[in-house]
Amino acid sequence: MRKLFDISCILVIMAALLSACQPWYKREPLEVMEPQAVRFRLDVDWERLFGEVPSGMTVMLFADKQPGAVTTVSHEVKSRYLDLLPDKYRLVLFNKSVGDFPSMQFENMDSYAAMRTRANTFTPSHYTDWTQGQTFTYNPEHFGTVIEEFEITEEMLYTQVTFYPYKEWIKMKTSENASTRFYQEDDLTYVMEVAPEPREVTLFVRVHITNSRNLKSVEGYITGFADGWHITGGHPAEGDETRYLLDNWTVTDDSEHLGDGWAVASTTLWGEPYGKEYWEDRADDQHVLKMRLTLYDGSTIDYEYNVGKDVRFATNVWGEEWSYTNNPTDIEVLTIWDRDPGNTPGKPDDPDVITPDGPKQPDDPDNPREPENPDDPREPVLPDVEGKDQSGKSGWGVDVDPWVDGGRVEIPI
């Protein structure tokens, strides 16, 4: 009886093994997993913070498990589809490409931690006696970046996966719409929205000039700001060997003081050197403002100011009302004035709206001010000269010779 039982068990086991080894025509069909990477879309809102839509953008992806960076440059700037394997990613995105910024050069772009920009320098092609032969720092162009870290998980991949019979999958892959069949279904696509931020800072230099009606022209430059931007660090570079040219001065009358006026210039730059963002941490000579004022009689007066602690960040906090702040912003203001604007600097491009608290330092007969001392930034006081506007107004006009007919010129075509 026991022998019969052993034989029956053996027969059952053999039958099970034989049924598992089905012939090829009875096997289950082969299936293929599709997609094999996560469908991911990057939506880029340029207008919200950057203010304009660029002509192109660069997208760099650094993955933990993959060497180097995957870099794409595209004219499609509002969205970008990516196929990503499960991994941890670091994203670097900026407008245009590294070859589209003549004002700066890009360094260490194969290293996520070290990539940065550095400002180029130039010698002006149109110069005066004062600027001839001098080298200046290019002010940065409009440059916006996004730095993000995110993870693509196995679970994200599983939510998009479908198992297709092999023959059906082959037909779909070779069909006309194969390139879009699996990757552009919005209800299955993971989306991340980003908004690039501009990295350049605008500096306003405002100088109150006593007796400005004698002034014919202004030249100037300022030193000691950052020489570039640490892209992934999100802050200006440490280098400060810079000299930014101030060559777009405008002069307006002081509405409260007849014959006086405000000279205002602005330029973009990379901000304060890293580690010197706060004015209390800067030396007086961290920033040096140099100016040459030309009077109507052709004479010139040079001024030099150590203003490291006088350059301040400003922010628009309530509509038209501006305030100084210790937090770095994209607006910096330097005001040379014998009165103190307090904490309400007015609009940076319209200093005439400042409500001053009073003189910075009342004149002391026993300790007179030193107008030529760089550490004592007093406003320029101009003498009366021949050739000024005698009406008592600023007179910012110019004499223009009458137009003369130059005759007809034949242009060959």
Side-chain angles (χ1 to χ4, degrees):
M1 200 60 186
R2 178 185 176 96
K3 191 174 196 177
L4 180 61
F5 175 78
D6 290 342
I7 293 174
S8 64
C9 286
I10 293 171
L11 291 174
V12 169
I13 293 172
M14 290 180 64
L17 291 172
L18 289 173
S19 64
C21 300
Q22 296 181 12
W24 63 269
Y25 52 84
K26 290 185 178 181
R27 291 177 188 168
E28 295 295 328
L30 179 65
E31 292 185 330
V32 177
M33 184 182 77
E34 185 71 33
Q36 298 177 11
V38 171
R39 295 186 298 275
F40 183 86
R41 191 177 76 237
L42 194 62
D43 286 351
V44 187
D45 186 349
W46 290 97
E47 295 176 292
R48 178 154 62 93
L49 300 175
F50 190 68
E52 66 182 35
V53 179
S55 58
M57 72 174 179
T58 298
V59 177
M60 303 180 68
L61 279 175
F62 294 81
D64 281 3
K65 299 176 183 177
Q66 303 168 49
V70 177
T71 302
T72 58
V73 180
S74 173
H75 292 295
E76 297 294 330
V77 299
K78 293 190 175 181
S79 65
R80 181 73 182 172
Y81 280 91
L82 303 167
D83 303 325
L84 302 179
L85 298 173
D87 206 338
K88 289 185 178 180
Y89 292 90
R90 290 168 292 176
L91 167 70
V92 179
L93 181 150
F94 53 89
N95 58 306
K96 301 196 289 190
S97 69
V98 296
D100 291 329
F101 293 93
S103 70
M104 58 191 182
Q105 52 188 297
F106 290 77
E107 300 176 347
N108 306 317
M109 295 304 287
D110 58 344
S111 170
Y112 178 85
M115 62 173 60
R116 54 161 287 167
T117 70
R118 185 184 297 277
N120 290 323
T121 59
F122 70 98
T123 300
S125 57
H126 299 284
Y127 52 82
T128 65
D129 291 341
W130 196 58
T131 58
Q132 183 176 7
Q134 297 194 49
T135 300
F136 297 95
T137 307
Y138 271 115
N139 54 301
E141 301 155 75
H142 201 23
F143 181 65
T145 67
V146 169
I147 307 299
E148 288 281 358
E149 296 187 9
F150 60 94
E151 184 175 4
I152 299 295
T153 64
E154 297 281 356
E155 289 74 16
M156 294 171 68
L157 178 60
Y158 294 152
T159 63
Q160 297 180 345
V161 163
T162 301
F163 290 91
Y164 294 92
Y166 181 76
K167 290 184 178 180
E168 179 183 343
W169 178 79
I170 284 291
K171 289 180 181 179
M172 289 189 295
K173 292 297 285 185
T174 56
S175 68
E176 219 173 276
N177 298 321
S179 61
T180 60
R181 172 62 181 83
F182 303 112
Y183 299 95
Q184 296 183 7
E185 295 290 338
D186 288 343
D187 58 335
L188 296 177
T189 299
Y190 287 95
V191 178
M192 184 169 73
E193 298 180 349
V194 296
E197 297 184 50
R199 297 310 181 188
E200 69 275 12
V201 173
T202 300
L203 169 70
F204 290 88
V205 177
R206 313 177 308 181
V207 181
H208 191 266
I209 300 175
T210 299
N211 212 14
S212 62
R213 60 186 181 177
N214 293 279
L215 179 64
K216 185 177 182 181
S217 65
V218 186
E219 299 175 82
Y221 65 82
I222 192 165
T223 69
F225 288 90
D227 67 352
W229 184 262
H230 192 298
I231 297 176
T232 51
H235 57 72
E238 295 84 354
D240 61 2
E241 295 295 323
T242 57
R243 183 192 299 186
Y244 285 95
L245 183 64
L246 302 170
D247 60 351
N248 59 344
W249 294 89
T250 61
V251 181
T252 57
D253 293 335
D254 184 332
S255 59
E256 294 188 359
H257 299 87
L258 190 63
D260 297 349
W262 284 99
V264 180
S266 64
T267 184
T268 56
L269 37 75
W270 289 114
E272 299 295 337
Y274 185 53
K276 299 177 182 177
E277 293 86 353
Y278 305 110
W279 65 270
E280 300 97 329
D281 298 332
R282 301 181 214 129
D284 287 333
D285 61 356
Q286 174 63 43
H287 301 311
V288 178
L289 171 66
K290 291 192 177 184
M291 301 174 62
R292 170 165 286 188
L293 306 187
T294 300
L295 309 186
Y296 270 107
D297 66 348
S299 62
T300 61
I301 306 176
D302 292 344
Y303 294 87
E304 180 176 331
Y305 300 109
N306 291 339
V307 291
K309 293 184 179 297
D310 297 296
V311 177
R312 301 286 300 277
F313 291 106
T315 182
N316 186 351
V317 286
W318 298 296
E320 293 298 311
E321 215 168 310
W322 287 77
S323 177
Y324 288 128
T325 175
N326 275 338
N327 297 318
T329 67
D330 60 357
I331 297 290
E332 288 193 271
V333 181
L334 168 63
T335 303
I336 304 295
W337 195 18
D338 283 353
R339 300 185 73 83
D340 187 353
N343 199 43
T344 54
K347 292 180 68 175
D349 57 350
D350 185 13
D352 198 39
V353 301
I354 299 174
T355 303
D357 290 346
K360 288 183 178 178
Q361 300 170 5
D363 290 335
D364 182 353
D366 298 326
N367 186 21
R369 66 183 186 178
E370 301 176 68
E372 297 182 2
N373 180 358
D375 292 328
D376 185 19
R378 297 286 181 160
E379 68 182 61
V381 179
L382 303 185
D384 287 328
V385 297
E386 294 294 330
K388 69 176 182 180
D389 176 16
Q390 300 296 332
S391 67
K393 298 182 179 180
S394 294
W396 291 104
V398 294
D399 294 326
V400 180
D401 293 331
W403 180 79
V404 178
D405 187 353
R408 178 177 294 181
V409 177
E410 296 292 339
I411 301 177
I413 297 179

